[in-house]
Amino acid sequence: MKIALSGLLNLEVTTRTRGFPIPYYPIDYPFFGVNLYPGGVGYNLAKALKTLGDEVDLYSLIGDDDAGKLIREELERIGISSSQILPILPQTPMSSVLYDEAGKRQIYCDLKDIQDRSYTFEETQIAKADFVIATNINFSRGLLPIARKLGKTIATDVHVLRDPDDAYNRDFMMAADILFLSDEGIEGNPENFIRELEERYHNRIIVLGRGAEGSFMYERVSDSFTYQQAYHFGEVKNTVGAGDSFFAAFIHFYALGEKPREALTLASAFAAIKVCADGASNGFVSEEDVRRALAGVRR
């Protein structure tokens, strides 16, 4: 499956903490608990999709600096071309992620000036894709009208959403056939919140991630909700990037032709395996490994 993906790339430092809130102390020694990885939603999704067997055309912006060079080298190493990644920023975005063993996390994301930049997408390139993922970074907005014109299925993840009329995410929600979000910003009944989204944007599928409580999905064609439990395949080491892995796996399996409910189940298994590894872009496994793990819990 060939997937056009527009998303953020950054360099990410992850730090294991004793817990939240963090009391003040001048120094701590979390041995093997501080790590540096290429990251960002674009990187996480691209690596997950590649591991699952998809061909990924990745579109992004980085700086012409050491951080950008490291990201490009790592992408090429895992078999993802950096030819559509433009080194036009003064600095590559960076993030610092604090996380604890309970799965809580606090992220500091320094986007530099990427939100003030645009990307010129070529229609001839997007036409080659079987599926389009436009993550909710500003420069992805230019991808939306092209993908709609070409009749491509569009998926996006708006992450934490508190208001169905959210101005920043409105373009993405209006364009999305498949819409993902987290329950972290929702107050009140989440099913009512999802129905409000569907009434405004008429998305084909809406999936709400709920962390350790699983997820549920709304399908417009049947006007129905499906609840999906969270799986456990070992000790949870780091939940950073779990939502990205869940989103990527759903798109992979759905694009392959799986029914939405089966794609949701397989994606849940993929994410559960991923969180047993440290780092937002680590712990991805093959499609065969996902099906094998799921077969074990279905017996």
Side-chain angles (χ1 to χ4, degrees):
M1 194 64 59
K2 189 177 184 67
I3 297 177
L5 165 62
S6 174
L8 172 69
L9 298 175
N10 64 29
L11 206 57
E12 178 178 278
V13 178
T14 63
T15 303
R16 186 178 67 243
T17 69
R18 300 181 187 185
F20 292 101
I22 300 175
Y24 172 76
Y25 36 83
I27 191 169
D28 198 359
Y29 296 91
F31 295 104
F32 296 99
V34 180
N35 294 284
L36 177 69
Y37 307 102
V41 176
Y43 183 84
N44 299 341
L45 295 176
K47 187 175 180 180
L49 291 164
K50 180 67 177 179
T51 305
L52 286 166
D54 296 304
E55 181 181 353
V56 182
D57 284 342
L58 178 58
Y59 300 84
S60 193
L61 304 174
I62 57 173
D64 187 16
D65 52 13
D66 289 342
K69 181 180 179 181
L70 189 155
I71 292 170
R72 290 197 303 271
E73 289 176 348
E74 182 62 16
L75 284 168
E76 296 288 350
R77 187 189 70 79
I78 63 177
I80 297 174
S81 173
S82 62
S83 62
Q84 305 296 334
I85 298 168
L86 308 182
I88 64 172
L89 304 180
Q91 289 180 276
T92 296
M94 304 279 289
S95 66
S96 177
V97 181
L98 309 180
Y99 69 93
D100 67 11
E101 293 181 355
K104 292 181 180 179
R105 63 196 185 280
Q106 189 166 358
I107 302 173
Y108 298 85
C109 189
D110 181 356
L111 295 174
K112 310 302 182 185
D113 69 342
I114 199 170
Q115 291 293 70
D116 300 322
R117 302 297 185 115
S118 60
Y119 193 111
T120 302
F121 295 90
E122 298 293 335
E123 185 173 319
T124 54
Q125 286 295 110
I126 306 304
K128 300 174 185 177
D130 300 302
F131 213 98
V132 170
I133 298 176
T135 69
N136 66 336
I137 192 80
N138 258 344
F139 69 80
S140 291
R141 295 184 196 276
L143 177 57
L144 301 176
I146 295 174
R148 289 293 293 270
K149 176 184 175 182
L150 294 170
K152 303 296 183 181
T153 299
I154 302 171
T156 194
D157 185 346
V158 294
H159 305 285
V160 179
L161 189 72
R162 294 178 172 83
D163 181 0
D165 291 317
D166 182 83
Y168 178 86
N169 287 295
R170 189 177 298 127
D171 290 345
F172 296 98
M173 294 188 287
M174 287 181 65
D177 299 288
I178 299 172
L179 174 63
F180 270 60
L181 68 152
S182 165
D183 70 343
E184 290 183 88
I186 298 175
E187 297 180 1
N189 189 316
E191 289 191 13
N192 291 341
F193 191 90
I194 287 179
R195 286 197 178 276
E196 285 189 58
L197 290 175
E198 194 282 325
E199 288 171 3
R200 284 169 171 76
Y201 307 113
H202 312 296
N203 314 101
R204 185 189 311 166
I205 294 171
I206 303 175
V207 177
L208 182 74
R210 307 187 73 189
E213 295 183 32
S215 61
F216 62 82
M217 174 178 65
Y218 175 80
E219 294 180 76
R220 189 181 66 194
V221 67
S222 59
D223 189 31
S224 63
F225 285 91
T226 299
Y227 170 75
Q228 173 62 51
Q229 66 176 338
Y231 293 112
H232 302 279
F233 295 111
E235 179 187 357
V236 175
K237 293 185 178 179
N238 190 344
T239 62
V240 177
D244 293 340
S245 64
F246 179 52
F247 177 45
F250 181 90
I251 298 308
H252 168 77
F253 289 111
Y254 180 80
L256 279 182
E258 295 285 0
K259 298 294 185 184
R261 294 186 183 189
E262 182 65 8
L264 187 71
T265 300
L266 288 160
S268 298
F270 183 82
I273 296 169
K274 181 262 172 293
V275 297
C276 296
D278 189 20
S281 59
N282 293 327
F284 302 135
V285 296
S286 69
E287 180 182 328
E288 293 73 20
D289 288 334
V290 177
R291 294 187 186 276
R292 189 178 302 115
L294 190 56
V297 300
R298 281 174 161 174
R299 290 195 188 106

